[in-house]
Amino acid sequence: MLWSERTWAELPVDLEKASQAAILPVGATEQHGPHMGTGMDAVLADILCTAVSERTSVPMLPTMFYGCSLGHSRRWPGTIALQPVTLINLVKDIGDWAYHSGVRRLFMVNTHVTNVAPLRCALEMLRAEHDDMMVALVNSATISPRIRAFHFADGDDWHANDAETALMLATAPEMVRPDAQAGADDPDRTEGLVFSHPVNRTSTNGVTGTPSRATRENGKLWFDWMVEDLSELILRGLKEKPPLDRSYFESSG
């Protein structure tokens, strides 16, 4: 159920049926090696959350196609990055307006690793301002143990790897260049490092992992797992209540 396709007369009914919940997909536009389109994260966020919205009947807000991608440097063309504070304020504004439309449970579904810190800041701001709003931050690569396992199979600092390439082969094959896929592998060079380095200092081609191994069959299986596990998580969230019913603004005295 796409928020953008519903009218102002329909959305209050939609939200009431969905326990006042909405899904916000957050992706990025950034280089994904020589073999994959720059919009991979945003495409995955959009396709995944659309499927989950259909399965759970929770309205999906329009997908955010830009994120905090500063770490990808200017070495490779294609990255369009937001400053962290820009992403924080953008998500805070979206959350405020969603609240005034009736949203009380907001699920932020993030498909880009370095969006995490700004999104967490936006979460803190939203719940501090709106006492009766619950906000969840779900990172697509760690929805469940089985999903984490295939994402991290070829590197802790993975990017444009087997997992991401397979998911695109299964759901958006136009994003992958098969002629470049076979030679796109690049190893994870971050093991044991103390500092967090930008991608220009850890990868020769913007990839970390083994996209040469990616198959459509694995991608379909893994995507089905992601839809199933994210849907289950959101359905649990629709029933959740805070452990204690105490106002954010009330003093204990």
Side-chain angles (χ1 to χ4, degrees), residues 6-234:
R6 307 300 287 167
T7 71
W8 68 260
E10 295 166 337
L11 275 169
V13 178
D14 298 336
L15 290 171
E16 184 177 1
K17 291 179 178 178
S19 299
Q20 307 303 128
I23 301 168
L24 175 62
V26 187
T29 297
E30 61 186 28
Q31 70 82 20
H32 266 77
H35 69 292
M36 197 149 56
T38 59
M40 181 267 149
D41 289 329
V43 170
L44 177 61
D46 190 65
I47 293 172
L48 172 62
C49 290
T50 297
V52 170
S53 176
E54 291 174 355
R55 187 162 177 157
T56 62
S57 297
V58 174
M60 185 186 97
L61 291 157
T63 299
M64 296 179 61
F65 270 70
Y66 298 102
C68 183
S69 301
L70 301 177
H72 284 281
S73 77
R74 298 178 182 174
R75 183 175 178 83
W76 304 280
T79 298
I80 308 293
L82 301 179
Q83 292 289 334
V85 68
T86 303
L87 183 56
I88 292 168
N89 289 330
L90 183 56
V91 173
K92 171 61 165 58
D93 286 347
I94 292 170
D96 286 339
W97 282 92
Y99 179 87
H100 294 306
S101 287
V103 173
R104 296 296 182 269
R105 300 169 192 263
L106 181 63
F107 298 92
M108 298 188 294
V109 179
N110 171 46
T111 55
H112 172 56
V113 172
T114 53
N115 283 342
V116 173
L119 292 177
R120 177 67 197 194
C121 290
L123 179 155
E124 295 280 348
M125 294 166 72
L126 285 168
R127 70 180 185 182
E129 183 167 335
H130 307 295
D131 196 21
D132 58 342
M133 187 181 201
M134 293 182 287
V135 186
L137 173 55
V138 182
N139 298 304
S140 64
T142 56
I143 295 168
S144 66
R146 65 177 179 176
I147 291 170
R148 190 188 192 286
F150 75 75
H151 272 91
F152 287 79
D154 52 354
D156 287 340
D157 193 40
W158 53 270
H159 184 253
N161 64 339
D162 177 9
E164 292 197 320
T165 305
L167 289 168
M168 289 296 98
L169 286 171
T171 63
E174 69 278 5
M175 295 291 290
V176 182
R177 308 295 184 266
D179 56 335
Q181 179 186 344
D185 293 1
D186 206 55
D188 186 354
R189 298 178 174 87
T190 63
E191 184 176 357
L193 297 181
V194 174
F195 292 97
S196 176
H197 299 276
V199 182
N200 57 293
R201 296 186 184 276
T202 62
S203 175
T204 63
N205 64 354
V207 173
T208 300
T210 53
S212 66
R213 300 180 187 174
T215 66
R216 180 183 179 278
E217 291 72 25
N218 279 344
K220 184 180 185 308
L221 174 64
W222 294 341
F223 182 74
D224 288 346
W225 287 356
M226 293 176 76
V227 172
E228 181 178 340
D229 293 356
L230 180 56
S231 296
E232 193 276 333
L233 185 152
I234 286 176

